[in-house]
Amino acid sequence: MANTATSNANDSVRLPQPTLKTVLEPVRPYDTTKLHDERTQTFRKLIQEGHSAVAPLRNPQLILHSHLPHLVGSAYALGAGIEQLKETYDHIIKTLAPIDETFVRGGISLESSWREHLQDKAYTIAFVDLFDEETHKNGGDWKKVVEKYLFSGNEPVVNGFLGGLAHPVIHLAYAYEFQMEEIAAQGLSLACTEYANFHKLIDNEPSDNSTYKTNSLLEVLLRVKQDNRFDGVVKSPGTVNYDLVLKEAYDATTEHWNAWQIGDAAQTMEHICDASVLVALGSGYPEFKYDFFYAHILTAAHAYRVLLPNFSKGSHLSLLRQYGLYTILIYVLQFRREVNASTINEFALAGRDWNWVTENALRNKWAIDEHFFKVVRGLRSFADTYGEKDGFYLKAAVKFVSGFKGWEGFGEGVMGFLPSRDGIVTA
């Protein structure tokens, strides 16, 4: 019998008061097609060079993802100068997979058969070729290409959009923020190669087997933590194996997922932004280390905040439902860690403000870690959207930047690659 005891709201899990905004305004884009200053054009040139030089997927065995636009884009958005942008690009380009003759190539010839190659990582460049040529064919209107390939058909690719640890969503959000067709083509390629098997639950939703109802995704996670049906499902963290959880605990997973009631999309978006901050930064490991995969709950929420105003309102419900499923799966896969809001709310700012956050992030030894930057950017975006909320976002940002010592939660790694050992090593 499942343990379904209710967790009452208390100081350890209480989110800040919502604004109850019913309109989600678009973020202010950095339109690199219209900003002609040297710094912006340097950034634009670097992204275009990377687009021609490296693949959206990287080794080992193309299971990892290029974060080039995320890292260089975040540095640019936080105000990095020209030399730092170039140094950041030079650092990350060395870690990526150069485009060579070993890659399958595609182009417009794939237009009629592209769905046959979904989830095939060998087609990472072939898909980029296709979307580049489609954009050219449409007179540079890459948003029309996104609409065609992401939302078309009875089983649209958007329903598996959060595969690959949400990197397709994150990548495409950078395309909209910086108005760059190259990033859009890469993001669509990732949407195809990382197309999640859980799309079937979005394409044809299962019957409602919930035993409670709540409009709080955080409450769902707290109940998931207490539910002993998840005990022993995951043997080691760091696998991102959504299918494992759905195979071993399908009824429990869908029961909690179906319990989450989504009302107004804009208000739900605010809630998941706040909940993502608490899960990512109100949990963690000793010595100021944070769970790498929980950070992707936050950065996926930031990407959603960018993308939803650009997508039709008719798509919002299923996208939010998908985010809820994704968050539950990641939470379970990383051992349902305890979250505690007091670690954020009681953090002393000591006079530090957003300028301090930005300046210290840019000169931090972790400034070559794209995930470090993306967390900072997400927090600032939430504050810009919803206000300071008694310092909730700022405290989270100062806590993160001032104390960050690295990522944890990788378990045994994947295919011999252990990020805490083989990834970024700072001085």
Side-chain angles (χ1 to χ4, degrees), residues 244-262:
L244 171 67
V245 178
L246 289 170
K247 177 183 177 183
E248 299 295 330
Y250 176 86
D251 289 341
T253 301
T254 55
E255 177 186 309
H256 290 290
W257 180 46
N258 282 324
W260 187 39
Q261 294 181 303
I262 298 172

Side-chain angles (χ1 to χ4, degrees), residues 293-341:
F293 301 89
Y294 285 179
H296 286 76
I297 293 175
L298 189 157
T299 54
H302 177 217
Y304 261 54
R305 189 270 167 270
V306 174
L307 290 175
L308 252 61
N310 291 286
F311 290 167
S312 70
K313 289 185 178 180
S315 69
H316 291 181
L317 177 60
S318 64
L319 280 164
L320 291 168
R321 287 276 289 157
Q322 185 180 168
Y323 179 88
L325 178 59
Y326 161 81
T327 300
I328 292 168
L329 293 173
I330 294 297
Y331 187 63
V332 172
L333 284 164
Q334 293 304 111
F335 285 11
R336 299 175 287 163
R337 298 188 65 81
E338 195 82 45
V339 297
N340 190 338

